Amino acid sequence: MMTNPLRQLALFGQSFWLDYLSRSLITSGELARLIEDDGLSGVTSNPTIFDKAIASTEEYDEEIGELAARGFSDEAIFEELAVHDVQKACDLLWLVYEASQGQDGFVSLELPPALADDTERTIAEARRLFAKIDRPNAMIKVPGTPAGIPAIEQLIADGVNVNVTLLFALDTYERVMEAYLRGIERRLAAGQAVDRIASVASFFVSRVDTAVDQRLDALLATVTDAEERARIESLKGKAAIANAKLAYQRFKRVFLQGERFARLRERGAQIQRILWASTSTKNPAYSDVMYVEHLIGPYTIQTMAPVTVEAYRDHGKPRANTVEEGLDEAERVLAALGQLGISYQEITQKLQREGVELFQASYESVLRRIAERRRSIITTSERLGSELARYGSDIERTIDALLAANTVERIWQRDASVWTDDTKRQRTISQRLGWLSIADEMRRHLQELESFQQEIRERRFTHLLLLGMGGSSLAPEVFQRVFGHDAEHPELQVLDTTNPDTIRRHRERLDPTRTLLLVSSKSGTTLETMSLAAYWFAELERELGDRAGQHLVVITDPGTPLEDWARSRQAWRIFLNPPDIGGRYSALSFFGLVPAAAIGLPLAALLDPVSAMAERLRRSTPENPGLWLGATLGTLAQLGRDKVTFVLEPAVAPLADWLEQLIAESTGKQATGLIPVVHEPHLAPEHYSNDRVFVTLDLALQPHTPTEALLKAIETLGHPVIRTRFWNLWELGAEMLRWEFAIAVAGKVLGIDPFDEPDVQASKDRTARLLAHYQQTGELVRPPAAFSEGSLSVGGTEASDLRSALTDLIGRIPPAGYLGLLAFIDPTPDTLELLHAIRQLLAERLRIPTILGIGPRYLHSTGQLFKGGPNTGAFIQLVSEPANDLPVPGQRYSFRTMFLAQAYGDYEALVSRGRPVLQISFRRDALEALEQLEQALVVTVH
Ligand SMILES: O=P(O)(O)OC[C@H]1O[C@](O)(CO)[C@@H](O)[C@@H]1O
């Protein structure tokens, strides 16, 4: 025997629907369970239900974030969330719908209540939503208001399933049935099928009692006569059921007994069932299942709130056809109310009006909630899933202050007063903001770049050798490493070192006849770049004679020495970049796009998302993804979380090198700054210090499980984690623009000028002095060594053995400090592997952030930060003296001398800034030396 009362309702012709819907109801499996176990066969929703659902869980946050990021308004976000839930519920009820041949298994979504008085918009929106949900078992809820009723007729005629909501009065119900019939008739007249057009009429029950009881109570307050009081008392809690029972009689007359519908039925029309809504008992004095109990009958539906479901499952006692019991009594109740001066007309009309207003209030509340969520939770796809630990409100305050100061508008107006009051510096900064509109600028050159791309393809180069430092080479390297090169285009190799061993390795690998040389330098004066250009051009000339210029492409600013140099060598192409863009902000200018074109990347695919991002960066709202990111990083740094640790998914990991330069060189000055920590080996979560913020970039469609697991653990330990999700790799350029903007904003928060690099010069000057002295004397002055041990020669310490020297250095690391491993070395896979192992050892044992810099490359990246940023770094400089040498054409010094002069110059610069630095030089086998160092560290650092 069937014991579940909910299931028994079906035996008496009544469907049991749920008056609730939420994401968790679906995801937890609860809805499926209700269908399976309790015989649930439909779901109704309304704005109040969604308001509750969104308020009570965080399950919507991720989607809110994503939609906000894509520029959806609050209304549109609500619609997406609701439609999504309705679709999922429809899918769960699909089998019910199919099994009942389209009679049952529906899920209803309500139109925005503000449309209740607008027939045309009701029609348009209901059509649109029905199409959008795209499920035959969806219903659109349209209120039975004077404006709603004509819309119902039209919608039925259009084939939209309609749940007519907010019905209280019997005469209104008559009009609703009429509208349904006419809609069906119109369809049939137009030769359209009607068998799958479904509609229900929702009669609201308990609200009638609440309203009538209030009036009765008011009357009781004025009546003293005991008999009269008893009569009034006896009417309490009766009106709603009476009204509903009489509605059922009208239903029967039309749908079960009427001639008109009988004809329609023959042609396949469905009965517009009557649905009892608002069936939870509001007055605790009444039985909690009373409305369900009295309104059972064929062709009816009970939609129950979860509490009523529980109650009815627990103690409901279903009986057949209760809806037809006591009809005389029902008539008497309504008549008696009239006699007491309680106007049925007035009450039902008022209830409908109030119903619309209540839903409108809920609808507005949902929108407010969504608006709040998008602020407080991590909105935008850039913030998706970010976990800001306890810093959320501090960050919000920063954002508010930035917005109040019109920061976004002012940045776009290129108003340099955002960063400084000094008018001279303002002039310089305003010449550094061209990156803001770079996508538009580059679009103007698209044809030129694409024909260049075509020619390169035709010329069948195998390699593109890019000579350039920092901002002039990092973005191209990212493009090559993330996207790879097209098969018909050359592979990009970057040479950004003066180490003759490295240069030679490249020289041995490359065939000048198949290589295109790309010299990139904004200033056109950078020592490494110009020296390498001289060397490589001579190599080209050696092989190609006066055709060498045909293998030369140059990118520089107009009027630089490099431009002259290129012209005099009859370079094949010279790209003159807009001069108002600094090196590290130049990724999307010619500096990035010319090499991208050369390796065969589709430039439009890269640029389109950049333009879309630029639009979003213009918004003066907290959702501006660059504003948010910059404010977050700046605020966290001020609160002691200045180590920006990138934990990137392998597919996008190469971006870290570019980000490192952007962040370090832009913000590391005036004893403040963000300290980027990139490519650090993963540590055990508890080994991360509390001065970190983590940044992750992942691919939505290809999550990298180990990275995810680590980040989850990190989050649990209370570290802030900023997450960015790419939907595809072509968003890379857009992400670069976003970071450029963010770092400009972070600069504002930290009170520095993000566009200069005042401390880079310090080591350049010292190197220049060392080289000048060398040219005069033939001697390169090297820093004095304190002692030698094995193959290592150690300076910058009072100690006399390696272990003590290391111990001393470690002892000098300030609190919340970091350790930089600065290696002037030939970065072969083997040396890099050992350097990573040493780095990991240091990070794990010391539990501090570590940075690895390869010299002289890092001089154009983190070098600024080491000298100009917070005085919290300690450094081990490793100088592997090159085994080979090569001449620098036109100079009296060689590459080896230059390389060493750069190492020594930076060492001196660091020391002069009071940074703890240990210098370890080695002449012989670099691998052996690194192993010796590793062993010393193993026994020293605990
Ligand atoms: O493009 P250029 O002028 O050769 O400069 C290369 C790099 O050197 C710096 O100017 C200083 O390190 C960087 O900002 C820049 O990215």
Side-chain angles (χ1 to χ4, degrees), residues 116-120 122-123 127 142-158 162 164 175-176 178-180 182-183 186:
D117 296 323
D118 188 331
T119 308
E120 289 314 311
T122 294
I123 295 169
R127 278 181 187 152
V142 178
T145 52
I149 291 172
I152 292 161
E153 176 185 329
Q154 181 61 49
L155 289 166
I156 294 295
D158 287 344
V162 179
V164 185
R175 285 199 289 279
V176 166
E178 172 67 21
Y180 173 72
R182 288 166 63 102
R186 277 172 55 190

Side-chain angles (χ1 to χ4, degrees), residues 469-472 521-523 526 583-584 661 665 757 760 859-860:
M469 303 306 292
S472 295
S521 171
K522 173 183 169 59
S523 60
T526 299
R584 55 188 178 273
Q661 188 214 15
E665 208 173 69
E757 49 281 334
V760 172
L859 296 177
H860 299 273

Side-chain angles (χ1 to χ4, degrees), residues 68 84 125 470 542 640:
H84 180 270
E125 281 298 279
R542 205 202 309 263

Side-chain angles (χ1 to χ4, degrees), residues 519-539:
V519 184
S520 274
S521 171
K522 173 183 169 59
S523 60
T525 57
T526 299
L527 178 69
E528 297 92 330
T529 312
M530 297 308 282
S531 309
L532 287 167
Y535 168 81
W536 282 97
F537 194 75
E539 292 302 297

